[in-house]
Amino acid sequence: MKQFLDNPPNIESMVFERVYVQPPSQDWSGALNYLFKIKYQRNAYFLRTLQSHEEAEVKSISKETMMASRFETNCWSFANGLFEHAVGDYGNNFTLEDPINITLHACKRIVSEVMHLGMTHVKPDTLKWNEDSFEALSWDDRIIVGEITFNTQLNFESIKYHLEDDPKTYFHTYRFQNKSSEKGRFLPTHIEISTSTNNNLSSAIVTRSLRIINIKISEKRLDYDHYSLRKYAKDEKDILIYTNKALFAMTHEEFNTVGNVENNKPISATWFTLLLFVIPTILAGIFIRKPNKNTPQ
């Protein structure tokens, strides 16, 4: 478990379910369970929302699908029927400069949560172990202090941590199904996330859970084709491209620039309305984009 958190293997495919036991907020109107497929390796990730387990192997997508991917500096997203592509430092921070930033950042947070075994606050590449204790940084650079906890039989039970200036203690309790013939058998199949105000697991309130349905680990790093948007964007006429602080449209057949938005300005904020997601339980960026008459066709 510690090695997985320190140096995770190449995840060729993982399907998991995220369930809200309690809604993230009183006025929450979204669903309470979501299904995802991810890929992950150093400097690369992919996330896709699923309507069913069977959809994980289907390349065709609907307008309800949300996807995002990064391979080194090459990144792209799909939300509300629109593909967007960029090369550079997009999605690593939550900014409204370009809509692609919002989708990429939300999806990166979801991938990071399952790769940190439910610890949604932990920023990637910041967790450091000291025996069975660890320190890390949160996404907003607060200090996180945590440790592995054991039951009375000295078996691994959970991970608990707290954030700087946060009175809550976060518990992540794990359940395993022993499938000795499968790679990834060391990973829990169920992760239960709960919070407590008195540092006591017995009084903690369960807020959500993760269920890892299947996982395929690769012995070697996967190449760009496994993360490319081409396998999903085959039938698209236009893809929006962000480059040099400008927005362009490209035809799929040529993958050449065919025009740009008026005055070389980034996409207008009137294209979408962002349904605010709750930190730290980011689920996804949900967009309702209004057609812009200046968009190249």
Side-chain angles (χ1 to χ4, degrees):
M1 296 282 287
K2 288 163 64 176
Q3 185 180 1
F4 180 85
L5 290 167
D6 265 342
N7 187 26
N10 301 316
I11 306 296
E12 185 172 339
S13 174
M14 180 196 292
V15 175
F16 70 97
E17 184 179 35
R18 193 175 196 269
V19 178
Y20 285 113
V21 179
Q22 292 188 344
S25 63
Q26 291 183 346
D27 57 351
W28 180 259
S29 59
L32 294 180
N33 63 294
Y34 297 84
L35 205 60
F36 300 101
K37 177 180 180 178
I38 71 164
K39 302 176 185 180
Y40 176 87
Q41 60 194 31
R42 287 286 181 184
N43 298 320
Y45 65 85
F46 166 86
L47 179 138
R48 174 183 177 176
T49 58
L50 303 172
Q51 299 299 314
S52 66
H53 300 170
E54 294 73 23
E55 194 179 40
E57 303 306 321
V58 177
K59 292 182 180 179
S60 60
I61 53 177
S62 66
K63 266 197 171 183
E64 289 71 35
T65 304
M66 189 177 76
M67 296 187 294
S69 183
R70 169 178 290 280
F71 187 90
E72 297 176 354
T73 59
N74 194 310
C75 51
W76 60 272
S77 71
F78 177 82
N80 266 66
L82 183 65
F83 280 100
E84 297 174 274
H85 181 270
V87 175
D89 188 30
Y90 287 84
N92 289 328
N93 296 299
F94 178 69
T95 68
L96 296 175
E97 180 184 353
D98 301 305
I100 191 173
N101 258 317
I102 305 168
T103 308
L104 280 167
H105 185 68
C107 291
K108 182 177 181 178
R109 291 286 295 261
I110 298 168
V111 172
S112 177
E113 179 185 39
V114 72
M115 294 304 297
H116 284 103
L117 303 180
M119 293 189 286
T120 188
H121 298 94
V122 174
K123 183 192 289 188
D125 302 318
T126 65
L127 192 149
K128 305 296 180 186
W129 288 99
N130 180 15
E131 299 294 338
D132 292 330
S133 300
F134 66 87
E135 285 193 4
L137 290 178
S138 67
W139 291 85
D140 56 357
D141 292 325
R142 287 184 289 168
I143 296 173
I144 296 173
V145 177
E147 63 183 90
I148 291 176
T149 62
F150 302 88
N151 60 22
T152 54
Q153 287 76 41
L154 297 181
N155 293 321
F156 172 75
E157 181 180 45
S158 66
I159 288 178
K160 70 175 182 178
Y161 68 87
H162 63 269
L163 286 84
E164 183 180 17
D165 301 325
D166 187 341
K168 295 189 184 74
T169 301
Y170 296 87
F171 290 92
H172 299 72
T173 308
Y174 303 101
R175 298 207 311 268
F176 298 82
Q177 290 181 355
N178 185 17
K179 300 179 180 180
S180 58
S181 63
E182 295 184 7
K183 292 180 180 178
R185 60 185 179 275
F186 57 88
L187 287 177
T189 52
H190 292 78
I191 304 171
E192 193 173 78
I193 296 99
S194 55
T195 61
S196 169
T197 56
N198 62 5
N199 196 31
N200 193 332
L201 177 58
S202 63
S203 62
I205 299 173
V206 178
T207 57
R208 66 189 189 283
S209 64
L210 301 176
R211 181 169 68 98
I212 298 176
I213 297 166
N214 58 61
I215 182 171
K216 186 177 181 181
I217 294 176
S218 175
E219 297 290 343
K220 60 182 180 179
R221 181 176 169 86
L222 302 177
D223 59 25
Y224 171 69
D225 287 343
H226 287 84
Y227 291 87
S228 171
L229 83 151
R230 290 175 184 243
K231 65 173 65 177
Y232 298 102
K234 288 180 179 178
D235 299 325
E236 296 301 313
K237 294 181 179 179
D238 295 314
I239 298 174
L240 299 183
I241 307 293
Y242 295 90
T243 180
N244 298 323
K245 298 183 179 180
L247 174 66
F248 295 83
M250 299 178 79
T251 60
H252 175 76
E253 293 80 5
E254 297 291 336
F255 271 85
N256 292 320
T257 303
V258 295
N260 65 292
V261 171
E262 185 179 9
N263 299 325
N264 260 8
K265 292 181 180 179
I267 190 169
S268 169
T270 61
W271 274 43
F272 69 96
T273 300
L274 173 63
L275 178 63
L276 293 178
F277 45 82
V278 180
I279 301 291
T281 55
I282 292 181
L283 173 67
I286 300 174
F287 302 91
I288 302 172
R289 299 177 187 264
K290 297 180 180 180
N292 189 322
K293 64 183 178 180
N294 293 323
T295 303
Q297 300 295 324

